[in-house]
């Protein structure tokens, strides 16, 4: 079972920063999950919310700010909002990545960025927007992709297959053993997110999932 750090290791360091990624690596995470968006001048950056307000000392939309303006913000403990290029460089040869596409239309650019970087580890492209998951498959037929689900649709496994995903990501309170078994029967890798409580981790592990995403990868 893969141990996956959420937004780096968000329970230990400011989320989606290089310090958080370093923390996840030092805690032995197999993969690090981060969120990808784009600045007004077209740079890919690592940040979760559409606005910078919650996680930085600034205010405004990520998509409305230039990279230069974003880089002036403090993302916590003096950390800057990283670019995808910086992240790939920092993680290369050390840990695999889940790159969650938070906005539409990023697929081609994110794939290109990964390929240009020469990143050698595992990369899984993820999104709640299943059209984006499918776009990744079109941009890179070899890519690993994950269809994420919040509330479950009638047939999430079919929906993931329709998106041509290799992986499926369930909110942990929605996963069942039979759902995981169905994923496996249909050749899909099943992850659960975001599990922080020790008892919840134990329960989710017993369902046979292939990976768990946690703010505290050291608890997995
Ligand atoms: O790995 C999936 C998880 O990160 C999705 O939720 O809101 O933390 O991006 P969120
Ligand atoms: Ca995420």
């Amino acid at each position: 079972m893969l141990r996956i750090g959420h937004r780096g290791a968000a329970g230990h360091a400011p989320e989606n920063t290089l310090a958080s990624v370093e923390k996840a690596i030092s805690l032995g995470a197999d993969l690090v999950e981060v969120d990808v968006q784009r600045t007004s001048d077209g740079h890919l950056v690592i940040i979760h919310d559409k606005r910078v307000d919650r996680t930085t000392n600034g205010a405004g939309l990520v998509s409305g700010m230039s990279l230069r303006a974003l880089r002036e913000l403090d993302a916590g403990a003096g950390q800057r909002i990283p670019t995808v290029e910086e992240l790939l460089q920092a993680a290369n040869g050390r840990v695999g990545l889940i790159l969650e596409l938070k906005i539409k239309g990023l697929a081609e650019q994110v794939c290109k960025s990964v390929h240009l970087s020469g990143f050698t580890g595992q990369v899984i492209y993820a999104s709640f927007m299943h059209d984006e998951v499918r776009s990744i498959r079109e941009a890179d037929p070899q890519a690993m992709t994950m269809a994420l689900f919040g509330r479950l649709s009638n047939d999430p496994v079919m929906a993931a297959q329709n998106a041509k995903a290799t992986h499926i990501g369930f909110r942990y309170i929605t996963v069942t053993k039979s759902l995981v078994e169905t994923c496996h029967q249909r050749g899909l890798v099943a992850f659960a997110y975001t599990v922080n409580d020790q008892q919840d981790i134990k329960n989710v592990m017993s369902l046979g999932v292939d990976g768990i995403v946690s703010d505290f990868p050291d608890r997995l």
Side-chain angles (χ1 to χ4, degrees):
M1 198 212 61
L2 294 173
R3 299 163 5 122
I4 306 160
H6 184 232
R7 307 182 192 174
H12 295 285
E15 67 178 60
N16 282 321
T17 63
L18 291 184
S20 193
V21 172
E22 288 296 335
K23 188 68 188 175
I25 294 171
S26 75
L27 294 173
D30 300 298
L31 293 168
V32 171
E33 187 267 358
V34 296
D35 302 293
V36 181
Q37 296 193 61
R38 185 159 52 199
T39 64
S40 63
D41 51 348
H43 295 274
L44 297 174
V45 287
I46 305 297
I47 184 166
H48 180 273
D49 297 2
K50 289 206 162 40
R51 298 182 64 88
V52 300
D53 305 38
R54 180 181 61 84
T55 55
T56 77
N57 59 346
L61 287 168
V62 175
S63 60
M65 297 172 83
S66 66
L67 180 63
R68 194 172 171 171
L70 276 179
R71 300 286 274 179
E72 277 166 20
L73 305 178
D74 186 339
Q79 290 286 300
R80 302 289 142 192
I81 295 171
T83 62
V84 164
E85 284 81 6
E86 280 177 328
L87 166 77
L88 289 164
Q89 204 176 2
N92 200 7
R94 304 173 70 208
V95 76
L97 296 171
I98 298 178
L99 301 176
E100 186 190 340
L101 280 52
K102 277 292 184 201
I103 57 167
K104 285 186 182 165
L106 293 185
E108 218 168 295
Q109 190 179 353
V110 176
C111 280
K112 200 171 164 194
S113 191
V114 169
H115 290 139
L116 284 176
S117 75
F119 190 79
T120 55
Q122 188 174 37
V123 176
I124 302 167
Y125 303 88
S127 190
F128 286 100
M129 296 171 291
H130 297 169
D131 285 350
E132 289 302 305
V133 175
R134 190 189 272 273
S135 296
I136 291 280
R137 168 74 51 246
E138 283 157 15
D140 178 0
Q142 308 303 321
M144 282 183 281
T145 59
M146 176 158 62
L148 292 170
F149 290 84
R151 247 183 253 148
L152 289 187
S153 58
N154 279 349
D155 190 346
V157 181
M158 177 71 85
Q161 287 187 308
N162 287 342
K164 309 248 182 265
T166 52
H167 293 58
I168 184 162
F170 296 111
R171 195 170 167 214
Y172 79 94
I173 51 167
T174 68
V175 200
T176 62
K177 204 167 189 160
S178 74
L179 197 48
V180 174
E181 279 167 8
T182 307
C183 289
H184 290 165
Q185 279 157 11
R186 304 218 210 144
L188 283 161
V189 180
F191 290 170
Y193 73 89
T194 300
V195 201
N196 291 331
D197 177 81
Q198 210 76 67
Q199 188 56 47
D200 290 336
I201 289 171
K202 218 173 151 191
N203 294 344
V204 173
M205 276 174 88
S206 75
L207 304 177
V209 295
D210 304 293
I212 294 181
V213 181
S214 177
D215 293 329
F216 301 92
D218 44 318
R219 294 183 186 171
L220 300 175

